[in-house]
Amino acid sequence: MPQTSVVFSGILGPGGSGQVQPGMGERGSGAGDLIFQDGRLVSGSLEALMEHLVPTVDYYPDRTFIFTFLLTSRVFMPPHDLLARVGQICLEQRQQLEPGPEKAKLKSFSAKIVQLLKEWTEAFPYDFQDEKALGELKAIAYRVTQCDEENGTVKKAITQMIQSLLLSLAARSQLQELREKLRPPAVDKGPVLKAKPPAAQKDILGVCCDPLVLAQQLTHIELERVSSIHPEDLMQIISHTDSLDNHRPGPSEPVTCLTLQCRGDVAKTYSLEAYDSWFNCLSMLVATEVCRVVKKKHRTRMLEFFIDVARECFNIGNFNSMMAIISGMNLSPVARLKKTWSKVKTAKFDVLEHHMDPSSNFCNYRTALQGATQRSQTANSSREKIVIPVFNLFVKDIYFLHKIHTNHLPNGHINFKKFWEISRQIHEFMTWTQVECPFEKDKKIQSYLLTAPIYSEEALFIASFESEGPENHMEKDSWKALR
């Protein structure tokens, strides 16, 4: 089964700029409808871009362009329609070559078409899940193998490509079936408590009292969950942008769940929803662990513990867990515990909040993320390669990039400069998701983090008021209503 990390690193390496590579040849037909600046494709008609995707005898498209166009073209047309048009262009090219006496040229063209299809099926196997797309693929394959002798290299390449594709689709299908079985009911995202559990019930400190170890286990969970997200999943943010038009948050607005509003095909958005749900559950777990503690001294210790865990997450490069922990401690039931917070050494927490300050579009966080990215690019060990961005902020960046820049220019051309940038950001994110977690997995700790009961919002407030009574009229009214 083709590994995504190999595909991405080959298509968009550190130097991938979308420029025409030397020795790749020039595209003839339709070239007049493509606009280049400093060797970089910046705009073109949809038809010209599709023609630019298809090889000729003397030309093969830049791999950076292949990935970017295959990824972003779904904004304008479904993959099976693009595949059908690619098949038509291939047929036209083949018909021009067939009358010629040189079979070598026809074979060379066929080999290039197979290579294009191979790159497509490896980078985006889910595009071929329906019979229509698979039928188009087989039809193109049949056409290009007609010039090949029995057991020829082109036929062998086609056979291997389709076998790898089917294995990849089968693996994804099995994973999706497993997810559906494990998917929680729509009412609750997990076990939710509406009252305090018995005092004897174990808390997080009874399972793990080392902040570094807990941060490492959180990183394990993050990488496992984020690795199930694929580039085409992220394009759902754009493909279903109409459902987001009624909600346009500002760049400095507190992080909200944009992914859950990208409601298209459930199979395509489930991995996004599941990852977003993990963030919310971790925040609620942190608040639960703090509010359930009866004694102020122990609550203080719990807060300081989570502050240390968040700091270790920051050091690792796990910004998503760090943000979830900070969000949990900033929830009203926790934030209002003034007597408890007065005993906490908050210097470390102040530093963390500084990193996640939303002003200037999270400028401090972006600086830290850039530093982690540079460390990852020059890393000598897998520990230094870890970069887990705040997912909701990443989603918002893609969303606003799409909304701020138009799809089409005044002359009707597709604004391909915009799609280069979207592709670059998605590729960078996918590179981060392919890092293998270097930390040893602790099943006991992970089981607690994933299955420990969490309080409902009402239960959090009740526990908070029981620990520290209401201090103003608003809190007193809330407490009265809750009781």
Side-chain angles (χ1 to χ4, degrees), residues 423-450:
S423 173
R424 185 194 67 77
Q425 291 194 23
I426 289 178
H427 162 258
E428 186 173 50
F429 180 85
M430 297 310 301
T431 301
W432 294 334
T433 68
Q434 302 304 315
V435 173
E436 186 176 347
C437 189
F439 310 121
E440 187 176 348
K441 187 172 182 178
D442 189 312
K443 292 183 179 179
K444 183 180 177 182
I445 297 174
Q446 288 200 22
S447 176
Y448 185 89
L449 290 169
L450 294 170

Side-chain angles (χ1 to χ4, degrees), residues 388-406:
I388 306 173
V390 179
F391 186 60
N392 275 305
L393 285 180
F394 172 78
V395 168
K396 287 177 73 173
D397 286 346
I398 296 294
Y399 169 71
F400 280 109
L401 181 60
H402 173 58
K403 295 304 293 183
I404 290 170
H405 302 284
T406 59

Side-chain angles (χ1 to χ4, degrees), residues 24-155:
M24 298 301 285
E26 292 295 335
R27 191 71 168 92
S29 176
D33 287 332
L34 298 176
I35 305 299
F36 291 83
Q37 288 180 359
D38 300 323
R40 183 182 177 89
L41 177 61
V42 293
S43 73
S45 66
L46 181 59
E47 180 63 26
L49 290 168
M50 288 190 289
E51 290 184 5
H52 193 62
L53 176 69
V54 181
T56 67
V57 173
D58 304 314
Y59 161 82
Y60 190 82
D62 173 38
R63 297 189 75 201
T64 316
F65 170 78
I66 294 173
F67 177 82
T68 300
F69 186 66
L70 291 178
L71 175 65
T72 59
S73 62
R74 61 200 72 221
V75 172
F76 306 100
M77 63 196 306
H80 61 78
D81 284 350
L82 175 61
L83 189 62
R85 181 63 188 124
V86 167
Q88 291 172 357
I89 298 171
C90 286
L91 183 59
E92 292 165 7
Q93 293 279 349
R94 181 182 171 82
Q95 287 172 345
Q96 291 175 11
L97 291 171
E98 279 180 342
E102 297 182 39
K103 286 189 176 181
K105 283 189 175 182
L106 189 59
K107 192 169 182 179
S108 172
F109 168 71
S110 298
K112 287 179 179 177
I113 295 298
V114 173
Q115 178 60 27
L116 174 66
L117 296 175
K118 182 173 181 288
E119 291 189 35
W120 191 341
T121 56
E122 287 180 351
F124 306 101
Y126 211 67
D127 288 352
F128 302 90
Q129 63 174 334
D130 61 85
E131 290 297 325
K132 191 173 181 180
L134 202 55
E136 289 285 357
L137 177 67
K138 290 178 179 178
I140 297 172
Y142 173 74
R143 292 190 201 113
V144 299
T145 55
Q146 285 182 321
C147 68
D148 201 26
E149 62 272 10
E150 191 68 28
N151 296 320
T153 55
V154 174
K155 286 184 178 178

Side-chain angles (χ1 to χ4, degrees), residues 126 129 176 179-180 183 233 264-271:
Y126 211 67
Q129 63 174 334
Q176 184 60 35
R179 284 175 181 164
E180 288 299 323
R183 189 169 190 168
D233 299 330
D265 183 347
V266 172
K268 291 180 181 178
T269 59
Y270 177 72
S271 57

Side-chain angles (χ1 to χ4, degrees), residues 252-297:
S252 295
E253 181 181 328
V255 178
T256 56
C257 173
L258 287 179
T259 55
L260 295 182
Q261 297 175 44
C262 302
R263 292 263 181 213
D265 183 347
V266 172
K268 291 180 181 178
T269 59
Y270 177 72
S271 57
L272 300 180
E273 293 180 29
Y275 191 48
D276 184 86
S277 178
W278 153 247
F279 180 97
N280 297 330
C281 288
L282 178 55
S283 294
M284 293 296 284
L285 176 62
V286 170
T288 299
E289 293 291 328
V290 173
C291 289
R292 63 182 285 195
V293 180
V294 177
K295 293 184 179 181
K296 182 170 63 177
K297 180 181 178 181

Side-chain angles (χ1 to χ4, degrees), residues 227-350:
S227 65
S228 65
I229 296 175
H230 302 282
E232 58 268 35
D233 299 330
L234 295 169
M235 283 303 294
Q236 295 294 313
I237 300 162
I238 293 173
S239 299
H240 296 285
T241 189
D242 290 343
S243 66
L244 295 173
D245 284 341
N246 295 327
H247 179 83
R248 299 191 182 196
S252 295
E253 181 181 328
V255 178
T256 56
C257 173
L258 287 179
T259 55
L260 295 182
Q261 297 175 44
C262 302
R263 292 263 181 213
D265 183 347
V266 172
K268 291 180 181 178
T269 59
Y270 177 72
S271 57
L272 300 180
E273 293 180 29
Y275 191 48
D276 184 86
S277 178
W278 153 247
F279 180 97
N280 297 330
C281 288
L282 178 55
S283 294
M284 293 296 284
L285 176 62
V286 170
T288 299
E289 293 291 328
V290 173
C291 289
R292 63 182 285 195
V293 180
V294 177
K295 293 184 179 181
K296 182 170 63 177
K297 180 181 178 181
H298 293 163
R299 277 198 307 277
T300 301
R301 184 187 172 203
M302 186 68 75
L303 280 170
E304 290 180 340
F305 174 71
F306 277 118
I307 290 170
D308 287 338
V309 173
R311 189 178 64 163
E312 294 295 349
C313 286
F314 177 83
N315 293 336
I316 289 171
N318 181 359
F319 298 106
N320 200 56
S321 289
M322 173 191 170
M323 178 65 101
I325 293 169
I326 293 174
S327 298
M329 290 191 286
N330 279 328
L331 289 174
S332 296
V334 180
R336 66 166 298 278
L337 298 172
K338 294 179 181 178
K339 293 177 183 177
T340 304
W341 279 102
S342 68
K343 301 294 182 182
V344 175
K345 297 174 183 177
T346 57
K348 296 175 186 176
F349 187 65
D350 292 341

